């Protein structure tokens, strides 16, 4: 993959939601401090010339888009590019998930000894880098963890992990497509899940697949069940860095390895909560929006390469949806 997934850098809690004060422990770049003092700063607004930088990048990208033939190829069998990615990288990436604690404390509450029956499902789990930290912390005999991914190779790597047979609770991983029109995987009965985790997964889908994915998630959740989402934000450094022959559609790109990535505007992500399924559902859906957005936040971080004197403006979006 031609970029680092956010959160792989050492992080502190950082998501700023509608006017809430920044969390204690954040690193702020104040006028008295030099940007080169440390490797990362929290809540840094974009530089004054960011508008020009964005315009230049987008102009260059739009001038040479991915050809129709290539776009059809990348969209036709997206899982095979993820298979190739995992064959090449196995589990050697995206390892540091300490930030999960800070951003999604509900997850770790489920691992407490007295938390009772809780099911956590991660569609698009990759090689389990979010699931295994939960396994490691788990004290709850009644915690059920399920991971799904449409990459067979990713699921093979999950199965081969020594933590796949946890001493407490259970973990099951299987191949399944989140945008499947055929319904849920057999390990997830409708209405059985307390928490769905979507970590950099919606961005890997084609926008046309979001509705189906959210309908599947809604069906899987218990009443008032939660969806925890973290993903790439609009005009993140990695979006602006894409050069020629990478733009598939506005804000949807294909990386050098053939995997797709979309960059979300915050309002757009929030709008997904309002999804109503116009598609013939595998299960009946209600005639109202599927979720309410309980939290919607943007995380802007300045990462600094002190040696090369480089400033990297990263943008991530985060949301918590509640099933209606
Ligand atoms: C950027 S990776 C993130 C993996 C994992 N969530 C993590 O945090 O390490 C995106 C993952 O989503 C999976 N994925 C993309 N579209 C999918 C779909 N329609 N159904 C299931 N998995 C999908 C990919 O195979 C890949 O493993």
């Amino acid at each position: 993959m031609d970029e680092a997934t956010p959160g792989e850098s050492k992080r502190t809690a950082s998501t700023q939601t509608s006017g809430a004060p920044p969390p204690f422990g954040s690193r702020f770049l104040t006028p008295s401090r030099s940007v080169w003092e440390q490797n990362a700063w929290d809540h840094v607004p974009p530089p004054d010339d960011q508008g020009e930088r964005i315009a230049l990048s987008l102009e260059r990208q739009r001038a040479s888009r991915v050809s129709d033939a290539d776009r059809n190829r990348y969209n036709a069998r997206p899982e095979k590019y993820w298979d190739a990615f995992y064959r090449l990288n196995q589990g050697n990436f995206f390892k540091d998930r300490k930030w999960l604690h800070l951003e999604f404390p509900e997850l770790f509450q489920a691992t407490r000894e007295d938390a009772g029956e809780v099911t956590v499902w991660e569609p698009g789990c990759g090689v389990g880098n979010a699931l295994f930290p939960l396994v490691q912390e788990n004290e709850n005999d009644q915690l059920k963890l399920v991971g799904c991914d449409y990459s067979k190779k990713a699921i093979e790597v999950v199965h081969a992990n020594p933590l796949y047979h946890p001493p407490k609770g259970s973990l099951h991983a299987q191949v399944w497509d989140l945008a499947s029109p055929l319904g849920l995987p057999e390990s997830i009965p409708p209405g059985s899940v307390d928490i769905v985790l979507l970590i950099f997964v919606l961005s890997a889908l084609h926008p046309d697949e979001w509705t189906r994915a959210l309908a599947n998630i809604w069906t899987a959740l218990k009443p008032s069940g939660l969806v925890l989402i973290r993903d790439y934000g609009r005009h993140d450094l990695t979006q602006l860095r894409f050069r020629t022959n990478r733009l598939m559609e506005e804000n949807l790109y294909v990386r050098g390895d053939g995997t797709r990535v979309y960059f979300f505007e915050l309002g757009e992500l929030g709008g997904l909560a309002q999804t109503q399924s116009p598609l013939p559902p595998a299960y009946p859906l209600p005639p109202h929006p599927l979720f309410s957005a309980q939290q919607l936040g943007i995380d802007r971080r300045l990462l600094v390469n002190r040696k090369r004197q480089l400033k990297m403006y990263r943008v991530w979006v985060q949301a918590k949806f509640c099933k209606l």
Side-chain angles (χ1 to χ4, degrees):
M1 193 175 285
D2 51 4
E3 61 187 280
T5 292
E8 307 323 319
S9 58
K10 301 275 180 273
R11 314 179 67 244
T12 55
S14 59
T15 304
Q16 201 150 18
T17 22
S18 50
F24 178 75
S26 295
R27 297 156 296 185
F28 296 105
L29 180 57
T30 54
S32 63
R33 304 187 68 178
S34 158
V35 69
W36 309 112
E37 252 175 54
Q38 54 184 49
N39 294 330
W41 301 93
D42 296 323
H43 311 307
V44 179
D48 290 344
D49 64 348
Q50 185 71 345
E52 287 159 45
R53 292 176 198 219
I54 291 169
L56 267 174
S57 293
L58 298 185
E59 192 185 316
R60 189 183 55 212
Q61 294 166 357
R62 287 173 184 146
S64 78
R65 294 165 184 261
V66 172
S67 68
D68 287 351
D70 281 346
R71 196 175 53 238
N72 293 341
R73 189 162 56 84
Y74 293 128
N75 284 334
R77 296 275 319 278
E79 73 285 0
K80 85 174 191 198
Y81 297 99
W82 282 105
D83 273 337
F85 171 78
Y86 289 119
R87 215 167 282 124
L88 204 66
N89 296 286
Q90 296 279 321
N92 307 321
F93 57 94
F94 306 164
K95 279 273 159 83
D96 178 4
R97 291 300 169 91
K98 292 187 189 76
W99 55 272
L100 271 175
H101 272 270
L102 294 155
E103 306 295 355
F104 300 130
E106 316 58 6
L107 280 177
F108 292 88
Q109 279 154 20
T111 66
R112 289 198 194 138
E113 193 175 1
D114 57 356
E117 269 182 42
V118 187
T119 299
V120 176
W121 178 35
E122 190 187 13
C125 65
V127 293
N129 287 335
L131 289 174
F132 288 121
L134 294 173
V135 169
Q136 277 172 313
E137 294 225 355
N138 186 33
E139 296 292 331
N140 179 5
D141 283 326
Q142 299 183 80
L143 176 66
K144 181 177 166 192
L145 297 171
V146 183
C148 292
D149 203 288
Y150 67 1
S151 159
K152 285 197 184 83
K153 184 64 203 172
I155 296 299
E156 267 173 44
V157 177
V158 174
H159 288 166
N161 191 309
L163 292 170
Y164 187 64
H165 300 286
K168 286 192 182 229
S170 68
L171 171 61
H172 174 75
Q174 71 174 95
V175 176
W176 180 73
D177 181 353
L178 175 56
S180 169
L182 305 174
L184 300 174
E186 63 275 8
S187 51
I188 299 287
S192 66
V193 174
D194 297 274
I195 301 177
V196 170
L197 194 54
L198 291 177
I199 307 287
F200 305 110
V201 172
L202 290 176
S203 56
L205 268 60
H206 189 282
D208 291 348
E209 297 172 317
W210 292 338
T211 303
R212 182 84 72 190
L214 287 163
N216 281 332
I217 288 167
W218 185 91
T219 304
L221 282 168
K222 291 178 183 172
S224 303
L226 278 184
V227 191
L228 310 179
I229 305 173
R230 187 163 175 94
D231 226 315
Y232 298 99
R234 183 71 47 85
H235 303 149
D236 176 45
L237 166 88
T238 58
Q239 175 176 11
L240 302 183
R241 269 192 184 164
F242 279 113
R243 294 195 168 266
T244 50
N245 296 319
R246 294 278 162 248
L247 183 65
M248 303 235 288
E249 290 173 30
E250 285 303 281
N251 303 304
L252 178 70
Y253 297 79
V254 63
R255 301 184 180 95
D257 58 13
T259 60
R260 299 177 303 199
V261 58
Y262 186 87
F263 295 86
F264 285 93
E265 193 72 79
L266 193 58
E268 184 178 36
L269 184 66
L272 291 185
Q274 303 293 313
T275 295
Q276 286 181 272
S277 182
L279 307 164
Y283 303 99
L285 290 167
H288 55 69
L290 299 185
F291 305 97
S292 67
Q294 289 196 335
Q295 189 206 73
L296 208 48
I298 189 147
D299 178 355
R300 291 184 183 278
R301 186 175 304 259
L302 171 59
L303 304 183
V304 175
N305 183 326
R306 288 188 269 181
K307 209 164 157 195
R308 295 172 59 204
Q309 299 269 297
L310 278 180
K311 292 183 196 170
M312 296 167 281
Y313 291 89
R314 303 300 316 260
V315 186
W316 301 293
V317 287
Q318 189 167 302
K320 291 184 191 179
F321 292 173
C322 180
K323 174 173 173 169
L324 293 175

